[in-house]
Amino acid sequence: DEPSSWDTAELDPAQVEQRIKEYNSQINSNLFMSLNKDGSFTGFIKVQLKLARPVSVPAAKRGPGGRPGQRGPGVKRRTSFYLPRGTVKHLHVLSHTRASEVISALLRKFTVVDDPRKFALFERSEKDDQVFLRKLSDEEQPLRLRLLAGPSEKALSFVLKENDSGEVNWDAFTLPELHNFLRILQHEEDEQVRRVRHRYARCRREMQDAL
């Protein structure tokens, strides 16, 4: 969770220009960085999506004959599906684009309508045959980190994952999603009760047979 030494490095305009030249000379693609007149710079970051849970997208509109029934006003139809694990997306961003804005841009690219707070952007690095992950804060600037680390994917890559902070932010879920969670919990509770009753009924029969 600790930031790398280059995460906290501060560069003056001349150093930024030199770093951009060095970065562009090391890549084998046309995903160059460009320095702007105001001192900011633009470039590409690659984000790998590693989502374990399904995401929600707007449901396909059905014709008048294909709709099973009328829905109340203001109710939006959704459908859920799993994004292929390891999906990669390149984004063209500014040096001051924040991690929270990168998350929102990725969700728009895939027309995902889930709350962006459900997701988090991580930096991934490899060192001494070990893999390290660090969750970026909302205000961190991924393109700046990309420039400081250089183009090496081992030194730095970006991963989008679920925002598993240990506490569930229920406000980030829609009412239908919350109802679905309740149905799942009720089903699990009913199944557990059934198993307990079955076990005690079997014990009762065995005791009666022994008597």
Side-chain angles (χ1 to χ4, degrees):
D1 292 334
E2 294 297 325
S4 303
S5 58
W6 45 261
D7 285 2
T8 55
E10 294 294 336
L11 302 177
D12 59 38
Q15 289 174 317
V16 170
E17 183 177 6
Q18 181 61 30
R19 285 290 188 104
I20 290 176
K21 290 180 180 178
E22 293 175 357
Y23 181 94
N24 290 339
S25 68
Q26 296 175 40
I27 62 175
N28 298 318
S29 65
N30 59 350
L31 303 180
F32 299 109
M33 290 193 188
S34 301
L35 183 64
N36 301 321
K37 293 181 179 180
D38 61 359
S40 65
F41 54 95
T42 59
F44 293 86
I45 60 171
K46 183 173 74 172
V47 183
Q48 187 177 29
L49 281 65
K50 289 188 176 182
L51 303 177
R53 295 192 286 269
V55 295
S56 299
V57 297
K61 295 182 179 180
R62 300 182 184 179
R67 189 165 55 187
Q70 296 291 331
R71 300 177 68 87
V75 178
K76 296 181 180 180
R77 295 179 56 84
R78 290 185 175 191
T79 186
S80 297
F81 75 102
Y82 286 92
L83 280 172
R85 192 172 179 84
T87 297
V88 172
K89 191 70 178 178
H90 286 88
L91 292 177
H92 189 247
V93 296
L94 293 164
S95 54
H96 56 260
T97 300
R98 298 173 296 154
S100 58
E101 295 172 319
V102 169
I103 294 173
S104 297
L106 282 170
L107 298 184
R108 287 195 299 271
K109 289 283 186 181
F110 292 97
T111 66
V112 175
V113 295
D114 291 314
D115 194 301
R117 291 176 294 176
K118 293 182 182 180
F119 308 91
L121 193 64
F122 289 78
E123 65 171 26
R124 180 185 185 276
S125 58
E126 298 179 30
K127 185 178 181 181
D128 299 329
D129 296 326
Q130 289 184 303
V131 175
F132 300 90
L133 282 177
R134 184 179 73 88
K135 178 181 173 182
L136 300 184
S137 68
D138 289 343
E139 301 301 319
E140 289 190 74
Q141 300 162 341
L143 187 62
R144 177 181 173 276
L145 297 177
R146 177 78 278 165
L147 178 64
L148 291 172
S152 171
E153 291 291 322
K154 286 190 175 182
L156 173 71
S157 60
F158 295 108
V159 181
L160 183 72
K161 302 180 69 175
E162 283 84 2
N163 188 13
D164 292 325
S165 59
E167 295 183 2
V168 179
N169 182 11
W170 296 112
D171 292 336
F173 294 90
T174 64
L175 193 59
E177 288 175 324
L178 293 174
H179 281 306
N180 190 47
F181 292 150
L182 288 175
R183 285 195 295 269
I184 293 173
L185 291 174
Q186 184 64 52
H187 175 75
E188 292 178 350
E189 181 180 348
D190 292 343
E191 181 63 21
Q192 184 65 21
V193 169
R194 186 191 66 80
R195 290 177 181 175
V196 171
R197 287 178 175 174
H198 177 74
R199 185 168 68 249
Y200 277 89
R202 185 184 63 201
C203 291
R204 181 188 297 274
R205 289 195 302 270
E206 292 174 352
M207 292 176 64
Q208 289 175 339
D209 292 342
L211 291 172

